[in-house]
Amino acid sequence: MSRVKGFISFEGIEGSGKSTQVKALAEHLRAKGHNVIETVEPGGTKIGNKIRKLLLEPGNHMDPMAELLLYYSDRAQHVREVIYPAILDNNIVITDRFIDSTVAYQGYARGIDLGLINTLNNIVIPDMKPFLTFLLDMDVEEGLRRNRRAQKEDRFELETVEFHNRVRKGFHQIAYEEPERIKIVDASLSVKEISRKVIEILEKSWH
């Protein structure tokens, strides 16, 4: 699966500040004269938002395979309706979560076979990987505390600390396997310091 220049993703555990950094980077790039599309998974489309509600609603007790396939239904719509057209139109696309979250959450944390996930990637998004992925990394319990303070609670935040530690370890393994694409940033730093590091990494990667 090849990397697509102009396509950037942010990944990380709950509470790591992805959405804040997506907005900060988008604002920086727009100030430089770029056209930027901000998007999110699950969601990003009308259909995707309905799927997002199913996936994140706390009362929904979902089979892991049903969960996985709903994420790929969301992604199929997202890529074809938003990401592909935006990139073809020479926009920069920044997404809050993409395929690495599926590998970390449904693969490493839920225990679904990574070969199956890779097969689904090849079916749903052939030749479609972000050029650059920022992994915002921090202590799991601190991330969950941040979300509680923000009164954010969804089906994943109600999972055990052990589950979220498996997610974090999964992200670390993905980053180890793809160091050229995935850059780890310490998410315990201030918002401004994280943003500065993100911009520094981006400028080095693009030149």
Side-chain angles (χ1 to χ4, degrees):
M1 195 181 297
S2 57
R3 292 157 63 193
V4 178
K5 196 159 187 181
F7 184 27
I8 299 166
S9 63
F10 279 81
E11 299 283 5
I13 61 164
E14 310 300 320
S16 57
K18 298 179 306 305
S19 59
T20 300
Q21 293 302 325
V22 167
K23 286 181 172 52
L25 182 58
E27 287 172 8
H28 169 80
L29 290 171
R30 288 186 186 115
K32 296 279 188 180
H34 297 284
N35 294 320
V36 183
I37 303 296
E38 299 168 54
T39 191
V40 63
E41 286 197 356
T45 66
K46 187 175 180 180
I47 289 171
N49 285 329
K50 292 180 179 179
I51 295 172
R52 180 182 179 89
K53 186 177 180 183
L54 281 172
L55 283 164
L56 300 186
E57 202 164 47
N60 289 343
H61 302 290
M62 196 173 294
D63 179 83
M65 189 59 66
E67 179 181 275
L68 176 72
L69 294 175
L70 279 172
Y71 272 108
Y72 276 102
S73 296
D74 167 74
R75 187 162 296 138
Q77 189 72 24
H78 188 212
V79 166
R80 285 157 183 79
E81 185 177 329
V82 176
I83 298 175
Y84 270 144
I87 288 172
L88 288 173
D89 204 27
N90 294 315
N91 295 286
I92 293 172
V93 176
I94 308 176
T95 184
D96 179 346
R97 297 199 184 281
F98 198 59
I99 55 174
D100 301 305
S101 278
T102 305
V103 176
Y105 280 80
Q106 282 70 50
Y108 284 98
R110 294 273 190 239
I112 293 175
D113 180 67
L114 295 177
L116 172 61
I117 293 174
N118 188 53
T119 297
L120 288 169
N121 282 338
N122 290 331
I123 293 169
V124 175
I125 46 163
D127 298 321
M128 191 73 191
K129 258 191 183 178
F131 175 76
L132 189 60
T133 295
F134 294 100
L135 173 55
L136 303 185
D137 183 52
M138 67 182 305
D139 176 74
V140 161
E141 294 189 59
E142 176 55 30
L144 293 171
R145 278 194 293 272
R146 280 185 182 181
N147 276 0
R148 282 196 294 271
R149 285 196 295 270
Q151 296 184 319
K152 183 184 176 189
E153 185 178 276
D154 64 34
R155 201 166 60 85
F156 286 93
E157 270 127 24
L158 297 175
E159 292 283 355
T160 65
V161 171
E162 288 75 20
F163 173 87
H164 291 288
N165 275 319
R166 291 197 299 273
V167 171
R168 187 185 183 198
K169 287 177 183 176
F171 277 130
H172 285 177
Q173 181 61 31
I174 300 164
Y176 172 77
E177 292 170 2
E178 295 190 64
E180 287 300 309
R181 175 174 69 89
I182 301 175
K183 306 301 181 184
I184 299 175
V185 179
D186 183 356
S188 68
L189 299 171
S190 70
V191 170
K192 285 187 178 179
E193 183 66 11
I194 294 168
S195 183
R196 187 190 67 76
K197 287 182 178 292
V198 164
I199 291 165
E200 184 180 279
I201 291 166
L202 179 64
E203 288 176 348
K204 283 181 182 176
S205 298
W206 274 5
H207 292 104

